[in-house]
Amino acid sequence: PGRVNWAYSILTEEGKILKFGIWKKTINQFKDVDDFNKNLNDFRAKLDKFFSNLEKYRYVIVYERMIPRGFNMKLNTAEIVNMCIGLFLGYSSHRNLVPLTAATWKNFCKKTNIDIKTKTAPVHVCDSIRMGLYYLIKSNYIDIKAAKVITKKFDSVDHGWKLKSGVWRNLNGK
C-alpha cells in the first residue's frame, strides 16, 4: 500500500501469477471528516469486491509493513498506509497473515538474484510478485530455481503498462 496507490499480485502455491494490478486510490484525504469518510467508504468498496473474488481460493496475505524513515516522507504517509493495511487485514483476520519488512524480502531476492526487469509493469507490482515468491520459497512451496523461471517468464511478456510523467498507466485499459 501507499499514499497514492496500492499494488497487488495473486500467485498460486506453484508461483503462477494469476492476477496483478494497482488500485489507483487509497485513503489519502484528510482535509476534513467528509473527505476522509468518502475515501474510507470508496476503499472499503474496493476491499469488498477484491475479497469476494478471492473466496474460491485458499490464500495467504503477504504484505510489507510500513516503517517510516527519514524526513523526506510526506507527513501523513505512515498514517495512511497503516490505516489501509489495518482495513485490509480486517477483511482477512481468519486467514494466514505474513507481515514482512522491506529489508527481509529485498535482501533475500538480491542475494538469490530473483529479479524482475520488465519495463512494462509497475515497479510496485513487480515488488508484490517478488514478495509472494519470497514467501513461497521460504514456505517450501517452490525453490529458487523455480522462482527465477517465473520471473524470467514474467519479463518476457509485454504487460501493457507504461510510465508517463511519473505515473504508471495501463495502455490496455485494464
Side-chain angles (χ1 to χ4, degrees), residues 10-28:
I10 301 171
L11 286 66
T12 67
E13 290 176 341
E14 297 79 28
K16 181 180 179 186
I17 301 165
L18 298 178
K19 186 175 180 178
F20 64 87
I22 289 188
W23 292 349
K24 293 182 182 175
K25 188 175 178 186
T26 61
I27 303 169
N28 60 4

Side-chain angles (χ1 to χ4, degrees), residues 17-170:
I17 301 165
L18 298 178
K19 186 175 180 178
F20 64 87
I22 289 188
W23 292 349
K24 293 182 182 175
K25 188 175 178 186
T26 61
I27 303 169
N28 60 4
Q29 299 285 332
F30 280 89
K31 294 176 189 165
D32 59 39
V33 173
D34 291 335
D35 277 345
F36 172 75
N37 284 322
K38 180 181 181 335
N39 278 265
L40 181 62
N41 290 333
D42 291 347
F43 190 70
R44 282 184 176 148
K46 285 181 185 180
L47 289 172
D48 286 341
K49 184 177 179 184
F50 184 78
F51 278 98
S52 69
N53 290 328
L54 285 183
E55 284 306 314
K56 59 187 166 196
Y57 301 107
R58 183 172 64 97
Y59 61 91
V60 173
I61 294 176
V62 180
Y63 65 96
E64 188 174 286
R65 293 173 42 212
M66 174 62 181
I67 303 172
R69 291 187 182 90
F71 292 104
N72 61 348
M73 183 176 288
K74 301 272 187 206
L75 293 177
N76 63 350
T77 298
E79 182 178 23
I80 290 167
V81 170
N82 285 313
M83 188 178 303
C84 290
I85 289 172
L87 287 166
F88 191 76
L89 297 181
Y91 275 80
S92 54
S93 59
H94 63 290
R95 307 287 188 193
N96 291 324
L97 305 174
V98 182
L100 300 174
T101 61
T104 300
W105 70 267
K106 285 182 179 181
N107 286 340
F108 176 84
C109 288
K110 186 176 182 179
K111 286 177 188 172
T112 57
N113 200 27
I114 295 171
D115 199 11
I116 297 175
K117 296 175 175 53
T118 184
K119 301 293 184 206
T120 65
V123 172
H124 294 309
V125 165
C126 298
D127 286 350
S128 74
I129 292 168
R130 292 190 310 147
M131 276 190 278
L133 293 173
Y134 167 83
Y135 167 78
L136 293 172
I137 293 166
K138 289 298 187 176
S139 300
N140 296 314
Y141 287 107
I142 64 172
D143 59 19
I144 293 169
K145 184 178 177 183
K148 289 180 180 183
V149 169
I150 292 162
T151 57
K152 187 174 181 178
K153 182 178 178 184
F154 188 80
D155 279 341
S156 71
V157 175
D158 183 342
H159 300 287
W161 290 77
K162 187 166 184 164
L163 187 62
K164 288 185 175 182
S165 304
V167 177
W168 281 98
R169 301 189 192 284
N170 188 321

